[in-house]
Amino acid sequence: MLITEECGGKDISISNYTHLRAYHACRLLDIETYKKEGIVPLVEQSAIEYAIKTLSDERLTEDRIRKKAEEIWRRYGNNIHRVWLALEQSELLGGACHYLIYGSEFLNAVAGHLWCRNKLKELGRPTIIVCDVPLNKISDTWTNGLEQAIKDGKTSSCSIAVDCVAPEDIVRFIYPTGYVKYPFLGYSNYRLG
């Protein structure tokens, strides 16, 4: 198992490992879904319908949310079709803590454009999902340069994208509490729970 957090500054060979430890942050609604399906990329229509269900109110109509969600999907679609994982847990508690605060990048973008991002703070529970991803499921595009980044001790802001994370590759669920540096308001403190 290659755990980059434990290898910083070492000269390693990825070929000596079968799996890479990685982390996914979200606002968990239903743990059973992840245990049965793993972590899967968003599907356009279900993601848009979920945005409508989540964000609709007397001010935000279904039509307005749908139009904005479709626009954002067209703009970011290539990145949405993947599952993104950080190589260090500390990144998800630091510069990328917005996933713990708001959850889905897509839903966060839609809500941000519609000025209703605070609704997302009420959904689910801030969660870091620990994954042991088989290296043969990770494209060389994402592992090229990793050995050098480990040797240089520069993996804290590294991430990878995979097609999905199988349920059996999920190791555990962590529910962080306490304060994180809130990225959208000048890094002020935000209490997770």
Side-chain angles (χ1 to χ4, degrees):
M1 171 67 52
L2 175 56
I3 302 174
T4 62
E5 294 167 306
E6 297 175 359
C7 295
K10 296 179 183 173
D11 194 5
I12 61 107
S13 174
I14 291 177
S15 63
N16 292 334
Y17 299 90
T18 58
H19 290 74
L20 176 65
R21 171 72 45 92
Y23 306 88
H24 182 79
C26 61
R27 290 195 65 90
L28 187 69
L29 295 171
D30 177 22
I31 195 170
E32 293 307 315
T33 300
Y34 286 92
K35 288 180 176 180
K36 289 178 191 167
E37 299 174 17
I39 307 171
V40 297
L42 297 175
V43 175
E44 182 177 7
Q45 284 310 309
S46 59
I48 291 170
E49 291 303 319
Y50 184 70
I52 291 167
K53 175 184 162 192
T54 303
L55 302 175
S56 290
D57 61 23
E58 62 281 346
R59 183 179 68 85
L60 292 172
T61 65
E62 177 179 331
D63 187 53
R64 186 171 171 208
I65 296 167
R66 182 178 302 282
K67 284 179 182 174
K68 184 53 70 178
E70 288 172 350
E71 174 190 322
I72 289 170
W73 190 273
R74 283 190 304 275
R75 190 178 314 151
Y76 300 111
N78 289 339
N79 289 328
I80 294 170
H81 299 304
R82 313 275 295 163
V83 172
W84 290 86
L85 304 165
L87 295 187
E88 294 194 17
Q89 184 176 325
S90 61
E91 178 65 12
L92 299 175
L93 294 167
C97 66
H98 56 285
Y99 298 109
L100 295 169
I101 298 169
Y102 299 116
S104 157
E105 184 111 17
F106 172 72
L107 191 57
N108 184 16
V110 174
H113 282 276
L114 296 172
W115 297 95
C116 62
R117 188 179 274 144
N118 280 338
K119 287 182 177 185
L120 303 181
K121 294 177 186 178
E122 304 303 318
L123 298 175
R125 182 177 183 185
T127 306
I128 294 176
I129 303 172
V130 182
C131 308
D132 288 346
V133 183
L135 280 166
N136 64 5
K137 302 276 182 167
I138 304 169
S139 162
D140 290 345
T141 302
W142 298 106
T143 57
N144 284 341
L146 184 56
E147 290 171 350
Q148 188 64 46
I150 291 169
K151 185 176 181 178
D152 295 342
K154 296 182 177 179
T155 57
S156 63
S157 61
C158 290
S159 61
I160 59 169
V162 295
D163 292 332
C164 65
V165 176
E168 61 270 16
D169 296 331
I170 294 175
V171 177
R172 73 178 172 278
F173 298 86
I174 299 171
Y175 305 105
T177 58
Y179 290 91
V180 292
K181 295 290 185 184
Y182 189 61
F184 299 133
L185 292 175
Y187 288 95
S188 60
N189 286 331
Y190 177 82
R191 185 171 172 76
L192 289 175

